[in-house]
Amino acid sequence: MTITPRSPRLLVLSTVLLAVAGMALLCVPHGQQSPTPVVAPPAAAVTARPPVSVPSTDRTATADAAASTAPEASTPSAVESALPLHGEGAAGDRAVQRNLETAWPPDLPAADERQLLAVGRALLRADATGASRARWAAAVFPDTGQAVAPAFATAGFRIQAAIARRDGSPTKAVVHLVWAGTDRGGTFTDLRITDWHFTRITKKRATTWTPLPRI
């Protein structure tokens, strides 16, 4: 068998034809290409979730809700008075004293307070009932030249409470007194208030509290 060699021209022509065919394939429009089937993914199963309760961050709403469900607190119908009722007698004097001490805390040395209280009580008794008024200086009870009738009877006169405190400076003091008594008309009244003012005088290293005239 004799093998005839291929012509070089035939080989070149074949190569050119193959190249042209490849270029024709590349130039085909995309719209004319056969579409590639697209397979849709399977539908995902939807699982219903149970509702989740979120804690409320609104404290005001929570407090209002609690307040609406809470029982109403009972309020006193009337505010009880700190002072005893008029006419209660000596049984209420301790409450009066306690209220005075609470309203004005002590601010004097104990020795000065004792001295001021003793003098203040004696001055009030002398002023109201006239007892032992002559023992006081004329500056405290000025002499008018006329007889002074006591405004209150000695019987039934009672000092309910008394405190001594500073009066704006270390050399000034005031004695607050609450007392009860029967006037000349026979009317008994209690919880009366009287103040006596004092000034401190120092002589030869001795200190005394001197009462000032009533204004």
PDB file of all heavy atoms in Angstrom, residues 32-62:
ATOM      1  N   GLN A  32     -29.492  34.181  21.181  1.00  0.00           N
ATOM      2  CA  GLN A  32     -29.788  33.025  20.395  1.00  0.00           C
ATOM      3  C   GLN A  32     -29.225  31.745  20.974  1.00  0.00           C
ATOM      4  O   GLN A  32     -29.372  30.683  20.416  1.00  0.00           O
ATOM      5  CB  GLN A  32     -29.246  33.223  18.974  1.00  0.00           C
ATOM      6  CG  GLN A  32     -29.898  34.397  18.265  1.00  0.00           C
ATOM      7  CD  GLN A  32     -29.335  34.581  16.858  1.00  0.00           C
ATOM      8  OE1 GLN A  32     -28.481  33.786  16.405  1.00  0.00           O
ATOM      9  NE2 GLN A  32     -29.811  35.596  16.163  1.00  0.00           N
ATOM     10  N   GLN A  33     -28.495  31.868  22.055  1.00  0.00           N
ATOM     11  CA  GLN A  33     -27.944  30.687  22.708  1.00  0.00           C
ATOM     12  C   GLN A  33     -29.072  29.966  23.429  1.00  0.00           C
ATOM     13  O   GLN A  33     -30.016  30.548  23.909  1.00  0.00           O
ATOM     14  CB  GLN A  33     -26.845  31.056  23.697  1.00  0.00           C
ATOM     15  CG  GLN A  33     -25.611  31.643  23.001  1.00  0.00           C
ATOM     16  CD  GLN A  33     -24.544  32.016  24.015  1.00  0.00           C
ATOM     17  OE1 GLN A  33     -24.769  31.867  25.192  1.00  0.00           O
ATOM     18  NE2 GLN A  33     -23.412  32.485  23.517  1.00  0.00           N
ATOM     19  N   SER A  34     -28.981  28.685  23.446  1.00  0.00           N
ATOM     20  CA  SER A  34     -29.990  27.896  24.134  1.00  0.00           C
ATOM     21  C   SER A  34     -29.907  28.155  25.625  1.00  0.00           C
ATOM     22  O   SER A  34     -28.839  28.053  26.215  1.00  0.00           O
ATOM     23  CB  SER A  34     -29.787  26.402  23.846  1.00  0.00           C
ATOM     24  OG  SER A  34     -28.491  26.006  24.253  1.00  0.00           O
ATOM     25  N   PRO A  35     -31.019  28.499  26.196  1.00  0.00           N
ATOM     26  CA  PRO A  35     -30.969  28.827  27.624  1.00  0.00           C
ATOM     27  C   PRO A  35     -30.681  27.608  28.461  1.00  0.00           C
ATOM     28  O   PRO A  35     -31.072  26.500  28.131  1.00  0.00           O
ATOM     29  CB  PRO A  35     -32.365  29.370  27.911  1.00  0.00           C
ATOM     30  CG  PRO A  35     -33.231  28.729  26.884  1.00  0.00           C
ATOM     31  CD  PRO A  35     -32.400  28.574  25.643  1.00  0.00           C
ATOM     32  N   THR A  36     -29.977  27.879  29.510  1.00  0.00           N
ATOM     33  CA  THR A  36     -29.643  26.816  30.454  1.00  0.00           C
ATOM     34  C   THR A  36     -30.769  26.696  31.463  1.00  0.00           C
ATOM     35  O   THR A  36     -31.181  27.689  32.086  1.00  0.00           O
ATOM     36  CB  THR A  36     -28.339  27.131  31.192  1.00  0.00           C
ATOM     37  OG1 THR A  36     -27.330  27.337  30.209  1.00  0.00           O
ATOM     38  CG2 THR A  36     -27.952  26.003  32.128  1.00  0.00           C
ATOM     39  N   PRO A  37     -31.344  25.552  31.595  1.00  0.00           N
ATOM     40  CA  PRO A  37     -32.468  25.414  32.544  1.00  0.00           C
ATOM     41  C   PRO A  37     -32.020  25.674  33.975  1.00  0.00           C
ATOM     42  O   PRO A  37     -30.966  25.190  34.403  1.00  0.00           O
ATOM     43  CB  PRO A  37     -32.910  23.969  32.345  1.00  0.00           C
ATOM     44  CG  PRO A  37     -31.719  23.268  31.810  1.00  0.00           C
ATOM     45  CD  PRO A  37     -30.989  24.274  30.945  1.00  0.00           C
ATOM     46  N   VAL A  38     -32.808  26.473  34.627  1.00  0.00           N
ATOM     47  CA  VAL A  38     -32.507  26.820  36.019  1.00  0.00           C
ATOM     48  C   VAL A  38     -33.494  26.077  36.904  1.00  0.00           C
ATOM     49  O   VAL A  38     -34.706  26.207  36.744  1.00  0.00           O
ATOM     50  CB  VAL A  38     -32.625  28.331  36.251  1.00  0.00           C
ATOM     51  CG1 VAL A  38     -32.337  28.655  37.706  1.00  0.00           C
ATOM     52  CG2 VAL A  38     -31.663  29.063  35.328  1.00  0.00           C
ATOM     53  N   VAL A  39     -32.983  25.335  37.813  1.00  0.00           N
ATOM     54  CA  VAL A  39     -33.812  24.553  38.720  1.00  0.00           C
ATOM     55  C   VAL A  39     -34.049  25.368  39.989  1.00  0.00           C
ATOM     56  O   VAL A  39     -33.090  25.765  40.664  1.00  0.00           O
ATOM     57  CB  VAL A  39     -33.147  23.202  39.050  1.00  0.00           C
ATOM     58  CG1 VAL A  39     -34.028  22.413  40.018  1.00  0.00           C
ATOM     59  CG2 VAL A  39     -32.875  22.438  37.786  1.00  0.00           C
ATOM     60  N   ALA A  40     -35.309  25.663  40.249  1.00  0.00           N
ATOM     61  CA  ALA A  40     -35.628  26.441  41.462  1.00  0.00           C
ATOM     62  C   ALA A  40     -35.399  25.589  42.693  1.00  0.00           C
ATOM     63  O   ALA A  40     -35.718  24.404  42.702  1.00  0.00           O
ATOM     64  CB  ALA A  40     -37.088  26.894  41.428  1.00  0.00           C
ATOM     65  N   PRO A  41     -34.818  26.195  43.714  1.00  0.00           N
ATOM     66  CA  PRO A  41     -34.582  25.442  44.953  1.00  0.00           C
ATOM     67  C   PRO A  41     -35.894  25.087  45.603  1.00  0.00           C
ATOM     68  O   PRO A  41     -36.898  25.773  45.441  1.00  0.00           O
ATOM     69  CB  PRO A  41     -33.776  26.402  45.823  1.00  0.00           C
ATOM     70  CG  PRO A  41     -34.136  27.756  45.329  1.00  0.00           C
ATOM     71  CD  PRO A  41     -34.384  27.594  43.837  1.00  0.00           C
ATOM     72  N   PRO A  42     -35.932  24.028  46.338  1.00  0.00           N
ATOM     73  CA  PRO A  42     -37.185  23.645  46.996  1.00  0.00           C
ATOM     74  C   PRO A  42     -37.613  24.688  48.000  1.00  0.00           C
ATOM     75  O   PRO A  42     -36.784  25.335  48.635  1.00  0.00           O
ATOM     76  CB  PRO A  42     -36.833  22.319  47.691  1.00  0.00           C
ATOM     77  CG  PRO A  42     -35.355  22.355  47.850  1.00  0.00           C
ATOM     78  CD  PRO A  42     -34.839  23.110  46.642  1.00  0.00           C
ATOM     79  N   ALA A  43     -38.921  24.881  48.067  1.00  0.00           N
ATOM     80  CA  ALA A  43     -39.451  25.877  49.006  1.00  0.00           C
ATOM     81  C   ALA A  43     -39.118  25.469  50.421  1.00  0.00           C
ATOM     82  O   ALA A  43     -39.326  24.330  50.823  1.00  0.00           O
ATOM     83  CB  ALA A  43     -40.972  26.000  48.838  1.00  0.00           C
ATOM     84  N   ALA A  44     -38.586  26.478  51.169  1.00  0.00           N
ATOM     85  CA  ALA A  44     -38.209  26.190  52.555  1.00  0.00           C
ATOM     86  C   ALA A  44     -39.459  26.119  53.410  1.00  0.00           C
ATOM     87  O   ALA A  44     -40.381  26.915  53.279  1.00  0.00           O
ATOM     88  CB  ALA A  44     -37.278  27.275  53.090  1.00  0.00           C
ATOM     89  N   ALA A  45     -39.454  25.160  54.267  1.00  0.00           N
ATOM     90  CA  ALA A  45     -40.600  24.998  55.161  1.00  0.00           C
ATOM     91  C   ALA A  45     -40.583  26.098  56.202  1.00  0.00           C
ATOM     92  O   ALA A  45     -39.563  26.364  56.831  1.00  0.00           O
ATOM     93  CB  ALA A  45     -40.551  23.634  55.837  1.00  0.00           C
ATOM     94  N   VAL A  46     -41.728  26.782  56.340  1.00  0.00           N
ATOM     95  CA  VAL A  46     -41.836  27.877  57.311  1.00  0.00           C
ATOM     96  C   VAL A  46     -42.360  27.305  58.611  1.00  0.00           C
ATOM     97  O   VAL A  46     -43.446  26.718  58.640  1.00  0.00           O
ATOM     98  CB  VAL A  46     -42.787  28.982  56.806  1.00  0.00           C
ATOM     99  CG1 VAL A  46     -42.887  30.089  57.848  1.00  0.00           C
ATOM    100  CG2 VAL A  46     -42.284  29.521  55.484  1.00  0.00           C
ATOM    101  N   THR A  47     -41.564  27.509  59.678  1.00  0.00           N
ATOM    102  CA  THR A  47     -41.934  27.015  61.004  1.00  0.00           C
ATOM    103  C   THR A  47     -42.426  28.171  61.844  1.00  0.00           C
ATOM    104  O   THR A  47     -41.715  29.167  62.015  1.00  0.00           O
ATOM    105  CB  THR A  47     -40.740  26.347  61.699  1.00  0.00           C
ATOM    106  OG1 THR A  47     -40.221  25.338  60.834  1.00  0.00           O
ATOM    107  CG2 THR A  47     -41.150  25.767  63.033  1.00  0.00           C
ATOM    108  N   ALA A  48     -43.627  28.075  62.346  1.00  0.00           N
ATOM    109  CA  ALA A  48     -44.191  29.148  63.188  1.00  0.00           C
ATOM    110  C   ALA A  48     -43.532  29.117  64.550  1.00  0.00           C
ATOM    111  O   ALA A  48     -43.515  28.089  65.218  1.00  0.00           O
ATOM    112  CB  ALA A  48     -45.698  28.956  63.318  1.00  0.00           C
ATOM    113  N   ARG A  49     -42.969  30.279  64.948  1.00  0.00           N
ATOM    114  CA  ARG A  49     -42.319  30.378  66.254  1.00  0.00           C
ATOM    115  C   ARG A  49     -43.321  30.855  67.293  1.00  0.00           C
ATOM    116  O   ARG A  49     -44.156  31.705  67.025  1.00  0.00           O
ATOM    117  CB  ARG A  49     -41.145  31.353  66.198  1.00  0.00           C
ATOM    118  CG  ARG A  49     -40.030  30.884  65.262  1.00  0.00           C
ATOM    119  CD  ARG A  49     -38.874  31.850  65.332  1.00  0.00           C
ATOM    120  NE  ARG A  49     -37.773  31.419  64.460  1.00  0.00           N
ATOM    121  CZ  ARG A  49     -36.632  32.106  64.327  1.00  0.00           C
ATOM    122  NH1 ARG A  49     -36.476  33.231  65.002  1.00  0.00           N
ATOM    123  NH2 ARG A  49     -35.689  31.674  63.536  1.00  0.00           N
ATOM    124  N   PRO A  50     -43.189  30.335  68.479  1.00  0.00           N
ATOM    125  CA  PRO A  50     -44.105  30.806  69.533  1.00  0.00           C
ATOM    126  C   PRO A  50     -43.801  32.251  69.887  1.00  0.00           C
ATOM    127  O   PRO A  50     -42.657  32.695  69.802  1.00  0.00           O
ATOM    128  CB  PRO A  50     -43.812  29.865  70.717  1.00  0.00           C
ATOM    129  CG  PRO A  50     -42.428  29.383  70.472  1.00  0.00           C
ATOM    130  CD  PRO A  50     -42.284  29.308  68.972  1.00  0.00           C
ATOM    131  N   PRO A  51     -44.797  33.056  70.279  1.00  0.00           N
ATOM    132  CA  PRO A  51     -44.546  34.462  70.634  1.00  0.00           C
ATOM    133  C   PRO A  51     -43.645  34.558  71.855  1.00  0.00           C
ATOM    134  O   PRO A  51     -43.768  33.813  72.808  1.00  0.00           O
ATOM    135  CB  PRO A  51     -45.947  35.016  70.943  1.00  0.00           C
ATOM    136  CG  PRO A  51     -46.757  33.804  71.282  1.00  0.00           C
ATOM    137  CD  PRO A  51     -46.201  32.683  70.449  1.00  0.00           C
ATOM    138  N   VAL A  52     -42.708  35.502  71.761  1.00  0.00           N
ATOM    139  CA  VAL A  52     -41.739  35.714  72.841  1.00  0.00           C
ATOM    140  C   VAL A  52     -42.165  36.944  73.610  1.00  0.00           C
ATOM    141  O   VAL A  52     -42.383  38.016  73.032  1.00  0.00           O
ATOM    142  CB  VAL A  52     -40.317  35.899  72.281  1.00  0.00           C
ATOM    143  CG1 VAL A  52     -39.327  36.126  73.409  1.00  0.00           C
ATOM    144  CG2 VAL A  52     -39.924  34.675  71.466  1.00  0.00           C
ATOM    145  N   SER A  53     -42.289  36.799  74.907  1.00  0.00           N
ATOM    146  CA  SER A  53     -42.673  37.938  75.750  1.00  0.00           C
ATOM    147  C   SER A  53     -41.439  38.737  76.094  1.00  0.00           C
ATOM    148  O   SER A  53     -40.477  38.227  76.648  1.00  0.00           O
ATOM    149  CB  SER A  53     -43.350  37.437  77.028  1.00  0.00           C
ATOM    150  OG  SER A  53     -42.469  36.623  77.757  1.00  0.00           O
ATOM    151  N   VAL A  54     -41.446  40.031  75.737  1.00  0.00           N
ATOM    152  CA  VAL A  54     -40.321  40.927  75.999  1.00  0.00           C
ATOM    153  C   VAL A  54     -40.620  41.698  77.260  1.00  0.00           C
ATOM    154  O   VAL A  54     -41.675  42.335  77.370  1.00  0.00           O
ATOM    155  CB  VAL A  54     -40.113  41.899  74.815  1.00  0.00           C
ATOM    156  CG1 VAL A  54     -38.951  42.818  75.093  1.00  0.00           C
ATOM    157  CG2 VAL A  54     -39.888  41.095  73.540  1.00  0.00           C
ATOM    158  N   PRO A  55     -39.724  41.669  78.258  1.00  0.00           N
ATOM    159  CA  PRO A  55     -39.994  42.434  79.490  1.00  0.00           C
ATOM    160  C   PRO A  55     -40.049  43.912  79.205  1.00  0.00           C
ATOM    161  O   PRO A  55     -39.235  44.440  78.454  1.00  0.00           O
ATOM    162  CB  PRO A  55     -38.804  42.077  80.410  1.00  0.00           C
ATOM    163  CG  PRO A  55     -37.739  41.618  79.480  1.00  0.00           C
ATOM    164  CD  PRO A  55     -38.441  40.971  78.316  1.00  0.00           C
ATOM    165  N   SER A  56     -41.020  44.584  79.810  1.00  0.00           N
ATOM    166  CA  SER A  56     -41.175  46.012  79.585  1.00  0.00           C
ATOM    167  C   SER A  56     -40.102  46.790  80.316  1.00  0.00           C
ATOM    168  O   SER A  56     -39.760  46.504  81.451  1.00  0.00           O
ATOM    169  CB  SER A  56     -42.554  46.461  80.081  1.00  0.00           C
ATOM    170  OG  SER A  56     -42.677  47.865  80.014  1.00  0.00           O
ATOM    171  N   THR A  57     -39.551  47.788  79.619  1.00  0.00           N
ATOM    172  CA  THR A  57     -38.546  48.648  80.235  1.00  0.00           C
ATOM    173  C   THR A  57     -39.145  49.940  80.744  1.00  0.00           C
ATOM    174  O   THR A  57     -38.434  50.789  81.258  1.00  0.00           O
ATOM    175  CB  THR A  57     -37.448  48.986  79.209  1.00  0.00           C
ATOM    176  OG1 THR A  57     -38.062  49.590  78.062  1.00  0.00           O
ATOM    177  CG2 THR A  57     -36.705  47.736  78.777  1.00  0.00           C
ATOM    178  N   ASP A  58     -40.439  50.109  80.565  1.00  0.00           N
ATOM    179  CA  ASP A  58     -41.101  51.322  81.037  1.00  0.00           C
ATOM    180  C   ASP A  58     -41.501  51.136  82.489  1.00  0.00           C
ATOM    181  O   ASP A  58     -42.499  50.518  82.805  1.00  0.00           O
ATOM    182  CB  ASP A  58     -42.332  51.593  80.173  1.00  0.00           C
ATOM    183  CG  ASP A  58     -42.919  52.965  80.462  1.00  0.00           C
ATOM    184  OD1 ASP A  58     -42.445  53.603  81.429  1.00  0.00           O
ATOM    185  OD2 ASP A  58     -43.818  53.392  79.738  1.00  0.00           O
ATOM    186  N   ARG A  59     -40.677  51.677  83.395  1.00  0.00           N
ATOM    187  CA  ARG A  59     -40.947  51.491  84.827  1.00  0.00           C
ATOM    188  C   ARG A  59     -42.194  52.233  85.250  1.00  0.00           C
ATOM    189  O   ARG A  59     -42.895  51.815  86.152  1.00  0.00           O
ATOM    190  CB  ARG A  59     -39.743  51.986  85.646  1.00  0.00           C
ATOM    191  CG  ARG A  59     -38.492  51.143  85.405  1.00  0.00           C
ATOM    192  CD  ARG A  59     -37.377  51.580  86.321  1.00  0.00           C
ATOM    193  NE  ARG A  59     -36.188  50.757  86.133  1.00  0.00           N
ATOM    194  CZ  ARG A  59     -35.063  50.932  86.810  1.00  0.00           C
ATOM    195  NH1 ARG A  59     -34.969  51.881  87.702  1.00  0.00           N
ATOM    196  NH2 ARG A  59     -34.027  50.148  86.588  1.00  0.00           N
ATOM    197  N   THR A  60     -42.458  53.361  84.588  1.00  0.00           N
ATOM    198  CA  THR A  60     -43.637  54.136  84.970  1.00  0.00           C
ATOM    199  C   THR A  60     -44.906  53.363  84.686  1.00  0.00           C
ATOM    200  O   THR A  60     -45.828  53.324  85.490  1.00  0.00           O
ATOM    201  CB  THR A  60     -43.648  55.462  84.202  1.00  0.00           C
ATOM    202  OG1 THR A  60     -42.437  56.161  84.470  1.00  0.00           O
ATOM    203  CG2 THR A  60     -44.832  56.314  84.623  1.00  0.00           C
ATOM    204  N   ALA A  61     -44.931  52.730  83.495  1.00  0.00           N
ATOM    205  CA  ALA A  61     -46.128  51.943  83.172  1.00  0.00           C
ATOM    206  C   ALA A  61     -46.289  50.778  84.128  1.00  0.00           C
ATOM    207  O   ALA A  61     -47.384  50.459  84.575  1.00  0.00           O
ATOM    208  CB  ALA A  61     -46.037  51.442  81.728  1.00  0.00           C
ATOM    209  N   THR A  62     -45.160  50.129  84.473  1.00  0.00           N
ATOM    210  CA  THR A  62     -45.223  49.007  85.418  1.00  0.00           C
ATOM    211  C   THR A  62     -45.703  49.466  86.784  1.00  0.00           C
ATOM    212  O   THR A  62     -46.517  48.824  87.436  1.00  0.00           O
ATOM    213  CB  THR A  62     -43.842  48.353  85.534  1.00  0.00           C
ATOM    214  OG1 THR A  62     -43.409  47.984  84.227  1.00  0.00           O
ATOM    215  CG2 THR A  62     -43.895  47.124  86.420  1.00  0.00           C
TER     216      THR A  62
END
